[in-house]
Amino acid sequence: MVAWNRNADLSAYNSLGFKVTAERFLQVTEVGQLHDALNEVVENKWPLLIIGGGSNLVLHDELPGAVINVATSGINVLADDEDQAIVEVGAGENWHGFVSHLLEMGLHGLENLALIPGSVGAAPVQNIGAYGVELADCFHSLTAYDRETGELVQISAEQCQFSYRNSIFKSSEKGRYIIWRVRFNLSSIFTPNLSYKGLTDYLSDQGVEHPTAHQVYTAVCEVRKQKLPVPSELGNAGSFFENPVVPEAQFQALKASFPDLVAYADKPGHFKLAAGWMIDKAGWKGYRDGAVGVYEKQALVLVHFGAGSATELLALADRIKASVSEKFNVSLEMEPRIYPHR
Ligand code: EPU
């Protein structure tokens, strides 16, 4: 028998801070527990949500069926060869805690991803990225529970098919794997990635030209705090929309109409447009409608002020999408996952 927690309050498991109740909730640390719980889920045909830190999720008030949180922990160095190390970490560890721990261990590569909310296990799903670095840059492999075979399997970086905010866990193999442990390739030699202008501007304001790992880590935390709300203070799920990638001709046409359009060269013949800039230009920054709104310092982030619901937030997101489509003829895709999907 699985000891489900009935009618569980998941307010602490969604960074938007909605009042959400799960019909059944279970935290697992052992594969046997997961196996038994999944058997019950299948036998009863319950809908299932696997949840990490809940920082990229929009949850409706009532979650039917079962919700499982993977709470595997531990950070271990598996191999240490000259200046390279492979570090394995439990999917349930907090991402920022892990990045901070690596800094203390003198292992480098993930500094630019400091302060991203959520769990380690959720990070590969959308290939988290910020300030010029993405998870894929340091990813080695992961161990996942394969729901098709009921066994733990090893999945390589290549098999994950990482791309901008995407992987097989979100696309071709959605729902099949439950991420259990993740391994990273890290280096004891620090090579800063200073490709993001906001980061170099911050460091040069501090008079720092050749930053240490600690200085980059601190700068990332400070730059994030200036632009992004802390979920414990103001409910949010980070960027609410992806930055759309469009063909060069479409970019050129838009640039002709909007000369200050912010965009970056992407894959050959394509440009990535700053969705935050477009939403801002369409007049939404700082907009509030009751319990939900658009963050006053970063238009790409939708916020929940309290006592609101997913329905209200998604209605606002739809209005923003329609307005950006009308003004720029660009279709925005939501970044967080919506559950249950209606
Ligand atoms: N901009 C505006 N107005 C706004 C927001 C942005 O004009 O209200 C402009 C900025 O001035 C800048 C450009 O748009 O020129 C891009 O803004 P920013 O550098 O803040 O980055 P972003 O494209 O909005 C992406 C990621 C963030 C990540 C930052 C930094 C996505 C969807 N978002 O945001 O990731 O932290 O770059 O690397 O790719 C997340 O995914 O949850 C997230 C926070």
Side-chain angles (χ1 to χ4, degrees), residues 61-116:
D61 308 359
E62 307 281 338
L63 309 186
V67 177
I68 296 177
N69 169 244
V70 175
T72 44
S73 62
I75 301 172
N76 298 299
V77 178
L78 295 190
D80 202 345
D81 183 18
E82 294 191 7
D83 51 2
Q84 299 294 312
I86 298 172
V87 175
E88 184 178 73
V89 53
E93 292 282 352
N94 172 268
W95 175 264
H96 177 67
F98 170 56
V99 171
S100 306
H101 191 82
L102 291 176
L103 188 70
E104 281 166 27
M105 290 167 82
L107 290 174
H108 306 297
L110 295 176
E111 290 79 2
N112 295 42
L113 304 185
L115 223 56
I116 295 183

Side-chain angles (χ1 to χ4, degrees), residues 247-264:
E248 179 162 3
Q250 190 180 350
F251 158 72
Q252 295 295 1
L254 271 170
K255 189 82 184 160
S257 308
F258 303 95
D260 51 345
L261 175 79
V262 181
Y264 316 91

Side-chain angles (χ1 to χ4, degrees), residues 55-56 112-114 116-117 126-133 164-165 196-198 220 223-224 227-228 236-244 260-264 272-281 284-286 294-301 333 335-336:
S55 56
N56 203 44
N112 295 42
L113 304 185
I116 295 183
Q126 63 150 338
N127 183 23
I128 58 169
Y131 309 109
V133 173
Y164 169 63
R165 293 294 189 276
Y196 183 84
K197 193 174 170 299
V220 167
V223 172
R224 272 192 88 89
K227 280 197 180 175
L228 297 165
N236 75 92
S239 299
F240 205 83
F241 299 98
E242 291 178 1
N243 285 331
D260 51 345
L261 175 79
V262 181
Y264 316 91
K272 189 185 275 176
L273 311 178
W277 181 89
M278 291 189 284
I279 297 167
D280 188 353
K281 273 282 153 175
W284 290 98
K285 195 164 174 173
V294 180
Y295 191 48
E296 58 187 3
K297 297 179 193 160
Q298 177 25 314
L300 198 53
V301 177
E333 291 294 331
E335 199 202 69

Side-chain angles (χ1 to χ4, degrees), residues 107-255:
L107 290 174
H108 306 297
L110 295 176
E111 290 79 2
N112 295 42
L113 304 185
L115 223 56
I116 295 183
S119 68
V120 167
V125 177
Q126 63 150 338
N127 183 23
I128 58 169
Y131 309 109
V133 173
E134 55 183 24
L135 169 129
D137 299 335
C138 292
F139 182 89
H140 179 276
S141 59
L142 60 77
T143 302
Y145 182 91
D146 183 351
R147 293 187 64 198
E148 279 183 13
T149 62
E151 284 176 7
L152 288 180
V153 290
Q154 313 303 321
I155 301 179
S156 69
E158 201 188 337
Q159 288 170 316
C160 290
Q161 293 177 29
F162 291 122
S163 60
Y164 169 63
R165 293 294 189 276
N166 209 351
S167 73
I168 56 163
F169 309 108
K170 245 181 101 173
S171 53
S172 57
E173 300 291 357
K174 193 173 167 186
R176 175 169 174 183
Y177 297 110
I178 297 173
I179 298 173
W180 198 249
R181 297 198 172 277
V182 188
R183 289 172 290 278
F184 293 92
N185 269 319
L186 300 156
S187 174
S188 58
I189 299 167
F190 177 60
T191 314
N193 181 323
L194 301 173
S195 56
Y196 183 84
K197 193 174 170 299
L199 199 58
T200 36
D201 288 352
Y202 179 88
L203 287 162
S204 56
D205 284 352
Q206 307 283 311
V208 179
E209 215 180 305
H210 301 290
T212 61
H214 200 274
Q215 284 169 324
V216 169
Y217 168 93
T218 308
V220 167
C221 292
E222 290 306 316
V223 172
R224 272 192 88 89
K225 282 182 204 155
Q226 283 167 13
K227 280 197 180 175
L228 297 165
V230 180
S232 57
E233 291 163 15
L234 183 59
N236 75 92
S239 299
F240 205 83
F241 299 98
E242 291 178 1
N243 285 331
V245 176
V246 300
E248 179 162 3
Q250 190 180 350
F251 158 72
Q252 295 295 1
L254 271 170
K255 189 82 184 160

